[in-house]
Amino acid sequence: MGLISVEEASRLLLDGVDTLGSERVDLADAAYRALCGPVHALRTQPPFPCSAMDGYAIKADEKINTFEVIGESAAGRRFTGSVGTGQAVRIFTGAPVPEGADTVVMQEDVSSLGGNGIQLSGAIRPGRNVRRLGLDFVEGQIVLETGRALDPSALSLVAASGHAGANVVRRPRVVIIATGDELVPPGALPGPDQIVASNGVGISALARNLGAEVHDYGIVRDSEPLIRAQVERALSEAADIIVTLGGASVGDHDLVRPVLAGLGISLDFWKIAMRPGKPLMYGRSGAAHILGLPGNPVSSLVCGQLFLAPLIWRLAGLSFSHDIRQAKLSVPMRANDLRQDYVRARIDKTENGLAATPFDLQDSSMLTTLANARGLIIRPPFAPELAVNAPVPVLMLR
């Protein structure tokens, strides 16, 4: 299987991916998840005519501009009487408009006459500053459609319409399996020939931030039986996505691919014409997606952004698009080869827009440059040499 393009790999990854099933959750657990059905209002909002201002509720009459204040209406505590001609009720924002009143005069347009008397300045317009019954929505109305992501405003609307929970797409279950004899967990002291396993925490954070339910199986030694046992465990525990870290290349100790082959899992692709991240593989076992990310930390995280992120959101019923913007180069760039390049860069705001400055060192093991990069300059295959101020697309990371 030869190199395939990033675009073709993305198409193979996402084609035919179905949204996961639904579950009923409390609103506290529903944020940023997609609705599995429309939301119907269980109540009318507002449930009564209410005031949009602090002021005085009156029955509008062009011939009268002095009124007697006969009571008060506050939110949660209405005035129970009726307002007649020449009478007013002190009212506060959100409070029910008393029977007989049809207008609220804002307090800035009222002056005191002493005692209970007030005088209005300016013309009175009937209906002014009154929110009518059902202004926002009425009982039975569809307030949100299927597929809507429950952002803060949508989540608040679900609550206001009378629901304590929502039917949403369940979270994708992501299992992470790191492989390699050279790896030790974060915080452990590496041996003379070992390094700290950093990819797992980064990929876990990426997946959780996208709304996935993450299960990190830890580090598996370079042993086909051990790797096979963890993949089988993930499949038995109904993982939606199995992410392997490392072991995806062609070395004698890169065992993930032969393990998957032994389980009857064929790969849709293996090796992508991109930098960093050439040894990336993808296949399926039933409903489970298997994504083999490279072992180099930068390659793993860049591939996570490009491929894992849209897969998670597609399964979750959400629309995903990378944040790609235009910038101008602050230094020249040489011509590119056959692989699509994602160049770590400093991105600065200038008077003329964004300026992109690639870091001098782009080794795929260097996390410092990725941590300090605000974006990745995208260089298509065989892109020509570029001069200073040439426009380039930038995949924003933060």
Side-chain angles (χ1 to χ4, degrees):
M1 188 180 294
L3 294 176
I4 67 170
S5 69
V6 173
E7 291 75 17
E8 177 66 5
S10 297
R11 185 190 66 78
L12 290 170
L13 182 77
L14 297 177
D15 271 2
V17 174
D18 295 323
T19 298
L20 299 175
S22 67
E23 61 180 352
R24 181 78 178 179
V25 300
D26 292 339
L27 293 187
D29 193 40
Y32 296 103
R33 297 171 71 175
L35 286 169
C36 282
V39 175
H40 294 80
L42 301 179
R43 57 188 299 275
T44 294
Q45 177 69 15
F48 42 74
C50 65
S51 177
M53 294 282 180
D54 290 347
Y56 293 86
I58 64 170
K59 182 176 182 179
D61 188 330
E62 294 179 348
K63 300 174 183 178
I64 301 175
N65 72 342
T66 59
F67 294 82
E68 177 191 5
V69 179
I70 61 172
E72 179 181 284
S73 184
R77 192 179 69 256
R78 71 170 63 216
F79 177 77
T80 58
S82 180
V83 176
T85 301
Q87 295 180 324
V89 167
R90 180 73 167 117
I91 195 168
F92 300 93
T93 304
V97 174
E99 183 181 345
D102 59 12
T103 302
V104 173
V105 181
M106 57 193 300
Q107 60 189 24
E108 291 85 349
D109 294 334
V110 174
S111 56
S112 174
L113 296 177
N116 293 329
I118 58 169
Q119 184 172 14
L120 312 186
S121 60
I124 303 172
R125 192 173 74 197
R128 180 81 170 176
N129 300 323
V130 174
R131 295 171 180 154
R132 61 175 173 79
L133 171 73
L135 174 66
D136 199 358
F137 51 81
V138 297
E139 183 178 348
Q141 177 183 338
I142 294 177
V143 293
L144 291 172
E145 299 285 355
T146 302
R148 172 62 189 267
L150 292 177
D151 55 33
S153 58
L155 200 62
S156 295
L157 177 54
V158 176
S161 65
H163 298 271
N167 294 319
V168 295
V169 178
R170 69 170 176 82
R171 297 183 187 278
R173 300 185 187 98
V174 176
V175 167
I176 298 175
I177 304 170
T179 68
D181 289 340
E182 76 278 16
L183 302 177
V184 299
L189 182 65
D193 302 315
Q194 293 183 306
I195 59 173
V196 174
S198 60
N199 298 15
V201 292
I203 294 298
S204 292
L206 172 67
R208 285 195 181 95
N209 189 52
L210 293 166
E213 173 190 314
V214 178
H215 302 271
D216 190 342
Y217 284 7
I219 299 167
V220 184
R221 298 304 168 199
D222 288 323
S223 159
E224 285 196 37
L226 294 178
I227 296 172
R228 180 187 180 107
Q230 291 293 60
V231 173
E232 289 178 328
R233 174 190 167 193
L235 291 171
S236 70
E237 294 179 353
D240 298 303
I241 306 174
I242 301 172
V243 179
T244 62
L245 304 175
S249 193
V250 294
D252 292 343
H253 301 285
D254 293 310
L255 304 176
V256 173
R257 197 161 61 97
V259 164
L260 297 180
L263 290 170
I265 301 171
S266 61
L267 299 179
D268 289 355
F269 60 80
W270 173 59
K271 294 185 180 179
I272 300 180
M274 64 178 286
R275 181 189 304 108
K278 174 184 171 184
L280 183 142
M281 58 188 176
Y282 170 74
R284 294 188 68 168
S285 177
H289 303 260
I290 295 95
L291 189 63
L293 298 182
N296 277 329
V298 174
S299 300
S300 182
L301 290 167
V302 170
C303 287
Q305 290 278 354
L306 291 173
F307 299 104
L308 178 59
L311 178 58
I312 288 174
W313 275 37
R314 178 70 64 87
L315 289 169
L318 300 168
S319 299
F320 182 88
S321 60
H322 290 106
D323 183 5
I324 297 177
R325 308 181 194 180
Q326 288 294 313
K328 291 185 178 180
L329 283 175
S330 58
V331 296
M333 291 191 79
R334 64 186 180 186
N336 194 22
D337 60 15
L338 78 165
R339 289 199 280 169
Q340 183 150 306
D341 211 349
Y342 292 86
V343 182
R344 283 156 278 170
R346 189 178 74 243
I347 310 298
D348 299 303
K349 290 182 179 179
T350 72
E351 293 180 354
N352 298 317
L354 297 178
T357 307
F359 291 105
D360 292 333
L361 297 177
Q362 294 287 326
D363 189 278
S364 60
S365 68
M366 296 181 62
L367 281 168
T368 49
T369 52
L370 185 61
N372 289 318
R374 287 190 60 207
L376 303 172
I377 299 172
I378 303 173
R379 298 280 283 145
F382 306 109
E385 181 179 348
L386 294 177
V388 174
N389 288 326
V392 288
V394 174
L395 170 60
M396 300 299 293
L397 299 175
R398 59 188 64 86

